[in-house]
Amino acid sequence: MGVTLKELASGLGLSPTTVSRALNGYPEVNQATRQRVLDAARTANYHPNTRAKSLATGQSRAIGHIIPISTSHEIVNPVFADFIAGAGEVYSRAGYDMVLSVVPDDEEENAYRNIVARGSVDGLLVHGPRLHDDRITLLQDLGLPFMVHGRSSGVQTPYSWLDINNRRSFRRATEFLLELGHTRIALVNGLESMDFALRRRTGYLDALAVAGIVPCPDLMRSAEMTEPYGHQAGRELLRLPDPPTAFLASSMIVAYGLRRALTDAGLKLGRDVSVVTHDDDLSYMPNGLEVPQFTATCSSVRAAGRKTADMLLSLVRDPDQGPITHLMETRLVLGDSTGRHRT
Amino acid sequence: MGVTLKELASGLGLSPTTVSRALNGYPEVNQATRQRVLDAARTANYHPNTRAKSLATGQSRAIGHIIPISTSHEIVNPVFADFIAGAGEVYSRAGYDMVLSVVPDDEEENAYRNIVARGSVDGLLVHGPRLHDDRITLLQDLGLPFMVHGRSSGVQTPYSWLDINNRRSFRRATEFLLELGHTRIALVNGLESMDFALRRRTGYLDALAVAGIVPCPDLMRSAEMTEPYGHQAGRELLRLPDPPTAFLASSMIVAYGLRRALTDAGLKLGRDVSVVTHDDDLSYMPNGLEVPQFTATCSSVRAAGRKTADMLLSLVRDPDQGPITHLMETRLVLGDSTGRHRT
DNA sequence: TTGAAAGCGCTAACAT
DNA sequence: ATGTTAGCGCTTTCAA
């Protein structure tokens, strides 16, 4: 262990109270005393014990993130990592800890209740909201400040969230493919039980409707976003009697699989067929594709993590300010091997 | 907040001590009393305050993971997510919290010191060890139990680690390509300042040496493992006067980029050129490749996370047991579109 | 401007 | 088998 406040105080011939006040920036401390205390703390490498502090103040100075892992499949959404990294930066700077709970998705409610009752965090961040998400109403009841990364269409009462404009991104991506003359456009989407995936489909359907095209169910796929899924979807779509000439992939990793299926079939991307990808993170975007390449980005997931953490901390500091929300617009980045792009 | 132990006790007409003992499974409690307490705790939805508990016991029941993020590039290694998920499962089950600290890589030492001094964790997990890693000797000095995911070749004193046998994997992968008749084999490796990457290169060189082949510096690449890097490396390697006929990629994501470069160049995988990939996690492995496909796996990163967490908890419970280590052997999974594989 | 005393919620001797 | 007391390291009235 390190030095305690008491030890530091007795070493200086002061009371723990004064030392505490000096360290925490209370105004009523003598300048000279404060300086002495600060110096002593530094040389003694003093760090306050977090647990004692939070027991005394009633604040834990920690934020909880609950990562639901499905019991059925082993994949963790890779954007989590970047998002968490962004949020973590903000917490560190603000002197907050980040507590991660990995919870099987059939025990989520319990996990939330526990974490609140144990008082180990001052706020919570909800990941991967579904269409109807009980977690949100649960947290509203529990009264702990929380933010949602994404939205839940089924929840009517207001809550705090940050989301990217998925619907708009996908409408614009579809419009782009329509402009290129495509009429049979496949949507290789994520799991449509997730709110974001439904919004993406809605955007896709919006654009088709405006163009007067009746959506074809065969052209719409939905599953967990993995490379093998993209590959299989691509193969199956190409086997259709009237195969699509363009593909809209819901994530870069899905596009990789799709690309494999298309090139395996001897198709040349950008000549025989167009692929457009959506991903939140530029860092996954391959450059120099010969495909028209679309990336809807909120200038990286990392930044979204930062912004969400900022908002949550503000909520923790002032819980009475009411729900706060932020909708991030996406950029369109269309590129090919010549480096063209448009926004 | 929830109910406190004191409230629970006075409600039952018992002393807090007895209630504490009943709840924590001490043997000297009357069966009937224990049952009464347990029931009351359940109906009152009682959960002990973590901070108070850890202040009293001196144990925080939390494990820290420090994620170094480089200030120069924005990428978080995607295997972190899976590893963390596996570790998190174990912690949850054992009643431990997981605290994640995201730290700029130039402030790591400070971060470690702080976290130890503040006493917020009982143990630490070190990610991404470099060849010479000061963190390890630092932690040895600080005396907090810790595990390393990977090893650091430069550190001589014993410490606890879990690693996969990178050298052996890459030796076997290279041998496989040599058996196929290739003599110019490119190594598209990760950053060789990382310990794992150096071990992989060593394995590659081992196999070449046995075959009597002089390694060609032009054929060895090293960088952060991303898709664009794989792509660029592929393009550049193909432009060589005497280009490689086989490629060894250090991760699946690099292989994706490589594949793009090769197909763009009009090469047919498995006919004109062979690609072999290494990745810790099968879930990234595309099925049905027409390429001989190699995956060295410790049956998923997730499992490695679980195992490492198990070991760390055992270390936390009994710090005197001395360093424990575990070397995971890899499986070779060679597949093509017909589903063939060998181990 | 400083200190003494009480208390945050829990556990752990030391009684009984 | 149960209760009393003290204390973990810090903050926070209240008093001086």
Side-chain angles (χ1 to χ4, degrees):
Chain A
M1 276 294 142
V3 198
T4 72
L5 187 77
K6 213 192 328 196
E7 290 163 4
L8 199 66
S10 76
L12 286 161
L14 288 169
S15 79
T17 315
T18 306
V19 175
S20 169
R21 281 195 275 241
L23 255 22
N24 292 306
Y26 281 60
E28 65 263 34
V29 183
N30 187 320
Q31 259 316 317
T33 312
R34 160 163 296 141
Q35 204 43 252
R36 268 205 321 138
V37 171
L38 254 31
D39 292 346
R42 180 162 305 279
T43 61
N45 191 33
Y46 169 77
H47 291 274
N49 182 308
T50 324
R51 297 163 280 153
K53 195 162 185 159
S54 59
L55 186 58
T57 57
Q59 301 225 310
S60 59
R61 294 197 75 86
I63 300 293
H65 284 228
I66 299 195
I67 311 292
I69 55 164
S70 132
T71 38
S72 52
H73 34 74
E74 287 265 298
I75 294 142
V76 173
N77 189 336
V79 306
F80 274 163
D82 279 304
F83 188 90
I84 293 282
E89 279 180 51
V90 172
Y91 299 145
S92 296
R93 249 194 294 279
Y96 276 73
D97 279 340
M98 172 164 55
V99 180
L100 230 69
S101 300
V102 176
V103 178
D105 50 8
D106 49 356
E107 283 176 32
E108 273 187 61
E109 177 167 339
N110 241 317
Y112 281 92
R113 285 193 186 284
N114 280 10
I115 225 168
V116 172
R118 297 189 315 168
S120 37
V121 299
D122 294 335
L124 274 173
L125 196 18
V126 175
H127 289 277
R130 273 91 62 176
L131 244 67
H132 295 91
D133 210 310
D134 296 337
R135 296 178 293 174
I136 294 172
T137 46
L138 174 63
L139 284 172
Q140 285 171 327
D141 290 349
L142 292 174
L144 196 71
F146 71 97
M147 280 280 301
V148 182
H149 178 210
R151 280 172 286 178
S152 177
S153 307
V155 176
Q156 296 308 326
T157 47
Y159 55 90
S160 298
W161 52 262
L162 177 145
D163 200 2
I164 63 165
N165 200 338
N166 283 297
R167 180 169 176 177
R168 191 141 185 267
S169 306
F170 271 64
R171 181 160 57 68
R172 287 157 77 192
T174 309
E175 284 166 0
F176 170 70
L177 289 170
L178 290 167
E179 278 173 33
L180 289 179
H182 295 284
T183 53
R184 288 190 64 75
I185 302 170
L187 174 68
V188 186
N189 205 358
L191 270 179
E192 289 181 358
S193 57
M194 304 298 284
D195 198 81
F196 79 89
L198 199 76
R199 289 176 192 275
R200 291 178 181 186
R201 182 165 66 153
T202 306
Y204 163 81
L205 294 175
D206 285 351
L208 291 187
V210 168
I213 293 178
V214 179
C216 168
D218 286 348
L219 297 185
M220 294 188 272
R221 299 286 168 143
S222 163
E224 188 120 21
M225 301 181 291
T226 64
E227 206 267 3
Y229 157 56
H231 182 234
Q232 196 187 335
R235 283 168 64 127
E236 290 175 11
L237 286 163
L238 288 178
R239 283 206 210 97
L240 288 176
D242 189 7
T245 58
F247 297 81
L248 196 46
S250 206
S251 90
M252 197 51 73
I253 210 82
V254 168
Y256 293 157
L258 216 40
R259 193 173 61 197
R260 180 155 59 94
L262 303 183
T263 54
D264 282 357
L267 296 172
K268 180 125 171 63
L269 303 180
R271 186 193 64 195
D272 307 320
V273 60
S274 286
V275 177
V276 160
T277 343
H278 176 281
D279 209 291
D280 294 334
D281 193 347
L282 269 177
S283 63
Y284 297 138
M285 185 179 80
N287 300 313
L289 273 183
E290 294 203 3
V291 213
Q293 173 76 36
F294 159 65
T295 295
T297 174
C298 43
S299 74
S300 104
V301 173
R302 180 85 61 108
R306 278 190 285 253
K307 177 72 183 167
T308 312
D310 270 335
M311 292 169 71
L312 182 49
L313 286 182
S314 126
L315 226 43
V316 163
R317 281 162 189 151
D318 175 16
D320 300 326
Q321 69 185 288
I324 53 182
T325 63
H326 188 83
L327 184 60
M328 285 183 128
E329 284 306 324
T330 56
R331 270 193 302 146
L332 278 180
V333 181
L334 304 167
D336 57 18
S337 52
T338 66
R340 280 191 290 114
H341 68 279
R342 76 175 207 185
T343 316
Chain B
M1 279 293 144
V3 197
T4 73
L5 188 76
K6 211 185 344 187
E7 290 164 4
L8 199 65
S10 76
L12 286 162
L14 289 168
S15 79
T17 314
T18 306
V19 175
S20 169
R21 281 195 276 240
L23 256 23
N24 292 304
Y26 281 62
E28 67 262 34
V29 182
N30 187 320
Q31 260 316 318
T33 312
R34 162 163 293 143
Q35 205 43 251
R36 267 205 321 139
V37 171
L38 254 31
D39 292 346
R42 180 162 305 279
T43 61
N45 191 34
Y46 169 77
H47 290 275
N49 182 308
T50 324
R51 298 164 281 153
K53 196 163 184 160
S54 60
L55 186 58
T57 57
Q59 301 225 311
S60 59
R61 293 197 77 83
I63 301 292
H65 285 227
I66 299 195
I67 312 291
I69 56 164
S70 130
T71 37
S72 53
H73 32 71
E74 287 265 297
I75 293 141
V76 174
N77 190 333
V79 306
F80 274 164
D82 279 304
F83 188 90
I84 292 282
E89 280 180 52
V90 172
Y91 299 145
S92 297
R93 250 195 293 278
Y96 276 73
D97 279 339
M98 171 165 56
V99 239
L100 230 69
S101 300
V102 176
V103 179
D105 50 8
D106 50 356
E107 285 176 31
E108 273 187 63
E109 176 167 339
N110 241 316
Y112 281 92
R113 285 193 187 284
N114 280 9
I115 225 168
V116 172
R118 296 189 315 166
S120 38
V121 300
D122 295 334
L124 274 173
L125 196 18
V126 176
H127 290 275
R130 272 90 62 175
L131 243 66
H132 295 89
D133 210 310
D134 296 336
R135 296 177 293 174
I136 293 172
T137 45
L138 175 63
L139 284 171
Q140 285 172 326
D141 290 348
L142 292 174
L144 195 71
F146 71 97
M147 279 281 301
V148 182
H149 177 209
R151 279 172 287 179
S152 177
S153 307
V155 177
Q156 296 307 326
T157 47
Y159 56 89
S160 298
W161 51 262
L162 177 146
D163 201 1
I164 62 166
N165 200 338
N166 283 298
R167 180 169 176 176
R168 192 142 185 267
S169 306
F170 271 64
R171 182 162 55 69
R172 286 158 77 192
T174 309
E175 282 167 2
F176 170 70
L177 289 169
L178 290 166
E179 279 174 33
L180 289 179
H182 295 285
T183 52
R184 289 190 63 76
I185 302 171
L187 174 67
V188 186
N189 204 0
L191 270 179
E192 288 181 359
S193 57
M194 304 298 284
D195 199 81
F196 79 90
L198 199 77
R199 289 176 192 276
R200 292 178 181 186
R201 181 163 67 152
T202 306
Y204 163 83
L205 294 175
D206 286 351
L208 291 187
V210 169
I213 294 179
V214 179
C216 168
D218 287 347
L219 297 185
M220 294 188 272
R221 300 287 168 142
S222 163
E224 188 122 19
M225 300 182 291
T226 64
E227 207 266 3
Y229 158 56
H231 182 235
Q232 196 188 334
R235 284 168 64 128
E236 291 176 9
L237 286 162
L238 289 177
R239 282 205 210 97
L240 288 177
D242 188 6
T245 59
F247 297 81
L248 195 46
S250 205
S251 90
M252 198 51 74
I253 210 82
V254 168
Y256 293 157
L258 216 39
R259 192 173 61 197
R260 179 154 60 93
L262 303 183
T263 52
D264 282 357
L267 296 172
K268 180 124 172 65
L269 303 179
R271 187 194 63 196
D272 306 320
V273 61
S274 286
V275 177
V276 159
T277 343
H278 176 281
D279 210 292
D280 294 333
D281 192 347
L282 268 178
S283 63
Y284 298 138
M285 186 178 80
N287 299 314
L289 274 182
E290 293 204 1
V291 212
Q293 173 76 34
F294 158 66
T295 296
T297 173
C298 43
S299 75
S300 102
V301 173
R302 180 86 61 108
R306 278 190 285 253
K307 177 73 182 166
T308 312
D310 271 336
M311 292 169 71
L312 181 49
L313 286 182
S314 126
L315 225 43
V316 164
R317 281 162 189 151
D318 175 17
D320 300 326
Q321 68 184 289
I324 52 181
T325 63
H326 188 84
L327 184 59
M328 285 183 127
E329 284 307 324
T330 57
R331 270 192 302 146
L332 278 180
V333 181
L334 304 168
D336 58 17
S337 52
T338 66
R340 278 191 290 115
H341 68 280
R342 77 175 206 186
T343 315

